[in-house]
Amino acid sequence: MSKVTKEEVEAFLHGSNPMEHIIKIECGYDDTKAKVYYRDENGKKQCQLDDFYPFCWAKQDAARRLYKGNRDEIKGQMSKYGITCKGLRTTKDDGTEPERMKNGYRILFYAIRPMTYQQFQKFFEEGGVPLSSRNKDGSDSGERNYVTVAPNEQYMISTGKRLFKGYEDYDELVRMQWDLETTGLDPKKDIIEQIGLRTNKGFEKIIPITGDTPEERLESQRKAMLEQYEIMREIDPDVMSGYNSENFDWFFELEQWFKYGTTLKDASAAYLREGIYKKKREAILKLGGEMERYFPTVVGSINITDGLHAVRRAMALDSNIKSATLKNISKDFNLKKKNRVYVPGISISDIWNDLEEHYAFCEEDGDWYLYNPEYKECGSGKNLLTLDYFKDVLANDSDVVDDTTGEVIFERSYPEGTTAEQLYQEYLAEQGNGNKDAEETFKKGYEPSSSKFTMYTRNRLMDGYRLVSGREIIFRYLQDDLYETDAVELQFNQSNFQVAKMLPVSYERCATMGTAGIWKMIMLAFSYTTNLAIPEAENIKLEVGGLSRLLRTGAVGAVGKNKLKGIKTLKADYNSLYPSIMITFQYQSEVDVDNVMLTMLDYVLTKREYYKGEKEKHSKLDDALKKRLESEKLTN
């Protein structure tokens, strides 16, 4: 076969099927139809049902052992089940056959009429060589007779359909963010207090849970969760994301429905296709050389992601990211709102339930504090006079006397029109002059430099502040959480969105899989498309792996000693090191009989450098525009 060109690689990676604006593809093990969700020319989400034809790759030895090797019976059973097979290519252009190709998966079994994957499996089970290599107790039997992938991935491989074709930017999708504020972390004894929902298209709503008694709050919570599902149905987003939502928010709602004698899936089924449920089988979140398991959430036509997953995957590759908290990520990547409202977690519930205007709030920077005119503030080791004290002074036309020292601060005669607030502000200014302790007493609770918030109580309403209820403070806090969840998810999943356009996998899986998994799916799809056998896997355990996370980028000397040789080691980590080396030295695997892997690496690396260049170019244009606007602002 002649060398594959970059143009052919690009056409293959973007899917042979021209269908655009596909949002999600679903196909379960019991489905004879694949559900293809897409947006039509009016932007409305539609569902197209396509026939599903399962397939798998098999080793030649496994195929020969089916039905005890009786060819007539194999033919009869294949006719009965509607299955056929074909041999796949294993040799190079010169006729040589690599050993791993010879011993690989060189037979493709595939259905010739629509059927479920479960029906497809029965052919192999009855033949005595089942598709699964799992024993009844769930352990691995060690056999590797077949290569197979999930039904939705089989459909995408066989049809050439890919997600998001026709979309250039992640933000073109309808993306919804959500968050829960709860009375505590234990869903069995705690309940929800607010449900926050937001989209990148301008929708925003905070659904409160109200009531004076536990029974009233439970009923309010039930109605609030149903309202959430109604909103999800009406908006029907393409992607729905939270921050740590897979391990907290979705589980919290799931547990709440048990209190009403039902399930999350049944309660939401009246609003959403098939309801919301957690998969019983764990999925893997790949984090560099490590992995974590979690139970994915499924919501019909909506892709479910978790912003924390995307951030933690980035942390595995970038040692400069020190913390995955939403607050720190938003600050470190300049995604934080200018007037972001912070609330100490331990105080959220108490402040939410305070419906009186006991709080002074500044819209400009999101700062707030508890306002109490009777509160005695301390500065320089002495109590400060209160605003009410000055009101009494004016009412009684008396001297203003420091109640600690007895010193007369303002004499009894005041100019006409003098207010208590004026006297009070003059007094505070005098106390603060040259007095560091007094000045610190008046500093803001919100500190922009550190994004920390310290709760203060003050006995005055400062300039630029207005009185609000505790509930309004928490509303703003939750709105800002949603804003930053949106910004972080957009920033960190933009690359996953672009990669998903090339892979025959769900978006949820693409957003959690590792590089090896990505290459595996690309090569499986290429093998299927070109009738190429899959090589036998190598049983190799490397002593060292890829260097994806170091204390700092670049060369790092003396990081440890080789225990066997007693010598110091030197490790280096460079962007694109491995693919660049392979391309430069034209390293080629013997099983790459079509000479395609180097072309694919070259294509991916070239695209990577192109987008890096585009990013730098637009960043410079953005900086120049900001400077010009700032200059015009100062001039005006």
Side-chain angles (χ1 to χ4, degrees), residues 221-388:
Q221 175 183 251
R222 186 186 69 82
K223 291 179 178 178
M225 289 190 291
L226 294 180
E227 184 177 351
Q228 172 193 335
Y229 309 148
E230 174 65 25
I231 291 172
M232 290 169 61
R233 178 177 67 180
E234 290 178 358
I235 295 177
D236 200 7
D238 304 324
V239 180
M240 185 168 182
S241 182
Y243 206 79
N244 195 31
S245 52
E246 283 290 45
N247 287 329
F248 181 75
D249 301 74
W250 287 117
F251 267 118
F252 203 97
E253 278 203 359
L254 184 149
E255 287 288 341
Q256 294 311 302
W257 283 111
F258 294 146
K259 298 176 182 179
Y260 305 97
T262 187
T263 65
L264 171 62
K265 182 175 182 179
D266 289 342
S268 59
Y271 301 86
L272 300 161
R273 303 174 180 94
E274 301 176 11
I276 306 170
Y277 63 92
K278 281 279 186 182
K279 284 187 177 180
K280 295 181 180 179
R281 179 180 295 181
E282 290 180 311
I284 292 175
L285 170 64
K286 197 70 171 66
L287 302 168
E290 302 176 1
M291 62 180 67
E292 285 186 6
R293 297 182 180 275
Y294 72 101
F295 292 96
T297 307
V298 179
V299 188
S301 65
I302 304 172
N303 294 293
I304 300 298
T305 65
D306 190 327
L308 181 59
H309 286 176
V311 169
R312 295 195 60 211
R313 291 179 74 205
M315 287 181 70
L317 299 174
D318 186 351
S319 301
N320 295 316
I321 304 177
K322 303 302 182 184
S323 172
T325 65
L326 183 62
K327 178 176 72 174
N328 288 331
I329 289 295
S330 300
K331 176 190 172 187
D332 292 346
F333 285 83
N334 297 317
L335 303 173
K336 182 173 67 66
K337 280 186 68 177
K338 178 183 176 182
N339 59 348
R340 201 334 178 173
V341 173
Y342 292 105
V343 178
I346 195 173
S347 305
I348 291 175
S349 186
D350 291 337
I351 296 172
W352 167 256
N353 289 306
D354 188 348
L355 304 180
E356 301 296 323
E357 293 185 343
H358 292 153
Y359 304 85
F361 174 69
C362 178
E363 185 68 41
E364 182 178 357
D365 62 7
D367 184 48
W368 61 273
Y369 57 86
L370 181 62
Y371 171 70
N372 179 3
E374 301 300 323
Y375 182 70
K376 293 282 188 178
E377 293 192 50
C378 292
S380 303
K382 65 181 182 180
N383 292 328
L384 298 177
L385 304 179
T386 67
L387 177 61
D388 282 354

Side-chain angles (χ1 to χ4, degrees), residues 454-587:
T454 302
M455 282 188 65
Y456 288 114
T457 301
R458 296 192 172 91
N459 56 26
R460 63 197 182 283
L461 187 63
M462 297 170 62
D463 289 342
Y465 289 72
R466 60 184 174 88
L467 290 179
V468 299
S469 68
R471 185 150 295 187
E472 186 171 342
I473 293 290
I474 302 302
F475 264 122
R476 275 295 307 272
Y477 167 73
L478 185 51
Q479 287 173 330
D480 292 349
D481 258 5
L482 292 168
Y483 172 91
E484 291 184 354
T485 298
D486 179 8
V488 168
E489 205 264 341
L490 176 62
Q491 172 95 358
F492 284 83
N493 268 334
Q494 180 77 247
S495 59
N496 290 325
F497 160 78
Q498 297 292 350
V499 172
K501 296 166 73 173
M502 300 186 294
L503 296 184
V505 301
S506 68
Y507 180 52
E508 291 98 332
R509 188 177 175 212
C510 177
T512 55
M513 68 195 303
T515 305
I518 290 173
W519 277 108
K520 174 185 174 181
M521 294 307 300
I522 288 175
M523 296 312 299
L524 284 178
F526 181 80
S527 297
Y528 180 94
T529 303
T530 57
N531 291 316
L532 184 65
I534 296 172
E536 183 179 42
E538 289 183 293
N539 293 317
I540 295 177
K541 183 178 180 181
L542 297 176
E543 293 301 320
V544 292
L547 306 176
S548 62
R549 183 170 174 82
L550 301 175
L551 294 177
R552 65 178 185 269
T553 303
V556 181
V559 296
K561 288 189 176 182
N562 185 304
K563 293 183 179 179
L564 295 178
K565 299 180 180 180
I567 59 174
K568 291 185 178 181
T569 60
L570 178 66
K571 296 186 177 182
D573 188 23
Y574 298 97
N575 289 334
S576 312
L577 175 65
Y578 300 144
S580 295
I581 287 176
M582 293 180 72
I583 293 169
T584 300
F585 292 96
Q586 289 294 291
Y587 171 80

